[in-house]
Amino acid sequence: MACNGERLYPAPLHLMRKGEKLFQLTLDANTVRCDWGENVRLPKLPDGDEPKGSKPLENTWLTEAGLEAVLAGENPSLEKSTKEKPDIKTQVYFADDLFEKESRLGIARDNATRSVQKGLLYQTQHIRPNTDLSIELDVEGLPDDMPTQAMIRLGGEGAPPVFA
């Protein structure tokens, strides 16, 4: 996925958010015995009261620079840090920034009798991407005579994308 031509990566779930601040879980120095085995180091929030109540960044994507900062082990909650850290305003994209979800409700019908079928109520959720969102694929192993550009139909009904 890309936004404004910049590739986005899913945010690691050890990155937590509370308001406009980001925190990273760390491994506790103490070990415990649990169902995972002996001497297991469990994740913990950074020390202090500020990270308490933070939640994982689900349905969130980072720019390449934001992901690099997270993977380098930078703790974005430390204001005194001089290392690059993910900027929640420019390097973090939430689902609402990228697409809208549309719920649709329907009922199955019998085309021969033109009547509804009892008990076959269904609901689907469709995603409408914003105009600055694009989908990227890296593909390997294609034959040399494969066309370099082609339109691919996406969606359950194979309908071509509509651009507003």
Side-chain angles (χ1 to χ4, degrees):
M1 186 163 26
C3 187
N4 295 321
E6 185 170 17
R7 185 170 274 197
L8 301 178
Y9 303 88
L13 292 180
H14 75 280
L15 189 60
M16 312 288 280
R17 175 186 183 194
K18 183 178 179 183
E20 293 295 311
K21 292 212 173 200
L22 300 177
F23 305 93
Q24 286 192 47
L25 294 176
T26 59
L27 289 177
D28 195 345
N30 300 320
T31 61
V32 296
R33 179 178 181 252
C34 66
D35 58 340
W36 289 353
E38 298 283 336
N39 300 321
V40 175
R41 294 174 60 197
L42 297 175
K44 71 171 192 157
L45 282 170
D47 295 330
D49 289 334
E50 195 174 19
K52 289 183 180 171
S54 57
K55 296 183 178 180
L57 286 178
E58 295 177 333
N59 297 317
T60 306
W61 291 265
L62 302 175
T63 62
E64 184 175 353
L67 183 61
E68 285 175 355
V70 170
L71 295 179
E74 178 61 33
N75 187 339
S77 67
L78 300 175
E79 297 299 326
K80 64 186 176 221
S81 174
T82 58
K83 291 183 181 177
E84 184 181 352
K85 56 188 172 185
D87 180 6
I88 199 163
K89 298 198 185 305
T90 62
Q91 296 177 336
V92 178
Y93 287 84
F94 302 100
D96 295 343
D97 301 329
L98 302 171
F99 53 82
E100 294 177 25
K101 293 181 179 178
E102 297 177 3
S103 293
R104 297 187 187 168
L105 185 64
I107 189 164
R109 63 186 179 123
D110 184 347
N111 289 335
T113 63
R114 293 186 176 197
S115 62
V116 298
Q117 294 181 0
K118 274 191 170 183
L120 294 180
L121 187 67
Y122 65 90
Q123 182 175 9
T124 61
Q125 191 166 52
H126 299 251
I127 294 176
R128 184 172 301 279
N130 294 345
T131 56
D132 52 354
L133 182 70
S134 60
I135 298 183
E136 294 184 352
L137 297 172
D138 291 330
V139 181
E140 295 179 7
L142 295 175
D144 293 335
D145 60 347
M146 182 84 170
T148 57
Q149 291 189 359
M151 178 172 278
I152 299 173
R153 300 170 125 205
L154 297 175
E157 297 170 0
V162 176
F163 301 100

